[in-house]
Amino acid sequence: MKKSQLIAGNWKMNGSLAANEALVRAVVAGLAGGGAACRVAVCVPSPYLAQVRSLCEGSALELGAQDVSRHGQGAYTGEVSAAMLEEFGVRYAIVGHSERRQYHGESDSVVADKARAALAHGITPIVCVGETLAEREAGQTASVVRRQLAAVIDAVGDGLARIVVAYEPVWAIGTGRTATPEQAQQVHAALRAQLRAATAQADGVAILYGGSMNAANAASLLAQPDIDGGLIGGASLKAPDFLQIIAAAH
Ligand code: PEP
């Protein structure tokens, strides 16, 4: 059975104690008034997890992290483990965001390890896949996202039913250039087929779209049969925009 859609904000490296408080209070107030039909989360920078956790308390807003270590513990300076995130009530962790793949050299196998580490602590990994513009123009979109997802499928075993996938074409992230609903649906359908070949529960795995989703284009993207929500960067930093996207979800 299909779950309700998931709208997850990715704040990236933005925020401050004051700005977070204003943003989260506005989102929580908006959710309380409207009774969102979808699930809603915000993935925040690690230092703010405790703050945002307490701001979310008693609301429908769930907490997410933007990354997780593939290691359990030890001499990994700067890393944050899944066990640590679990202690802070984190429900979701983004893994394999294109900015991590691009700027931190994360390979498919590192991303797969991170997904497995999150699942081991009851945290839902939001596994990002997506092609660059050069890859799209070379006709490689399907093979790139298939390869990225295959690494995770191989690593997580039975945990596959508990992951979330986010299709984020790299050329659409932060650029204001969005995939058309048809372009996105085509890739989502291919990802769904790949999941179906691996698990009987594929239809329950949410496949989010991410890449310049905003208040104006959310409804047409979220109406596609294989788009189960959105991963929202820039627009998640403005409460009215984020709430409008949430209102477009079901
Ligand atoms: C993202 O970073 O995951 C993202 C989708 O960003 P934006 O919405 O700003 O394109």
Side-chain angles (χ1 to χ4, degrees):
M1 218 198 45
K2 281 228 156 192
K3 292 194 196 126
S4 57
Q5 292 187 324
L6 169 64
I7 301 295
N10 172 16
W11 289 1
K12 312 197 191 200
M13 199 173 70
N14 293 293
S16 66
L17 290 171
N20 303 344
E21 178 159 356
L23 176 57
V24 175
R25 284 200 192 286
V27 172
V28 165
L31 292 179
C38 63
R39 295 170 288 152
V40 186
V42 282
C43 299
V44 310
S46 296
Y48 297 133
L49 287 171
Q51 181 205 16
V52 176
R53 180 193 197 182
S54 73
L55 287 166
C56 290
E57 220 170 285
S59 81
L61 186 59
E62 295 186 304
L63 187 59
Q66 297 176 11
D67 187 27
V68 61
S69 178
R70 67 183 163 132
H71 303 292
Q73 63 169 43
Y76 302 103
T77 303
E79 297 268 286
V80 175
S81 73
M84 294 170 185
L85 297 179
E86 186 184 17
E87 283 199 306
F88 281 85
V90 167
R91 287 286 321 276
Y92 299 95
I94 298 172
V95 299
H97 191 281
S98 64
E99 289 151 15
R100 304 256 359 140
R101 293 179 190 264
Q102 188 181 347
Y103 305 136
H104 301 272
E106 290 189 8
S107 65
D108 295 338
S109 80
V110 167
V111 173
D113 284 350
K114 290 183 171 199
R116 190 171 45 199
L119 287 167
H121 286 271
I123 295 167
T124 300
I126 300 177
V127 177
C128 298
V129 300
E131 80 289 3
T132 63
L133 186 57
E135 288 164 340
R136 172 162 282 266
E137 285 173 347
Q140 295 168 348
T141 300
S143 63
V144 168
V145 300
R146 169 169 271 281
R147 188 202 72 223
Q148 291 170 332
L149 182 57
V152 174
I153 290 174
D154 288 348
V156 301
D158 287 351
L160 186 58
R162 293 187 287 124
I163 74 166
V164 166
V165 178
Y167 169 54
E168 297 211 308
V170 179
W171 48 271
I173 296 177
T175 58
R177 205 179 145 187
T178 316
T180 65
E182 296 71 26
Q183 280 174 325
Q185 168 56 27
Q186 193 177 24
V187 178
H188 281 234
L191 293 168
R192 181 84 63 205
Q194 188 177 358
L195 289 168
R196 281 194 184 130
T199 172
Q201 288 153 293
D203 291 4
V205 175
I207 308 178
L208 314 184
Y209 169 79
S212 299
M213 192 187 271
N214 58 39
N217 61 29
S220 57
L221 287 158
L222 293 169
Q224 298 302 309
D226 288 298
I227 298 186
D228 305 315
L231 183 55
I232 322 295
S236 73
L237 296 171
K238 295 174 226 134
D241 297 46
F242 194 49
L243 287 167
Q244 269 185 271
I245 296 171
I246 292 165
H250 49 269

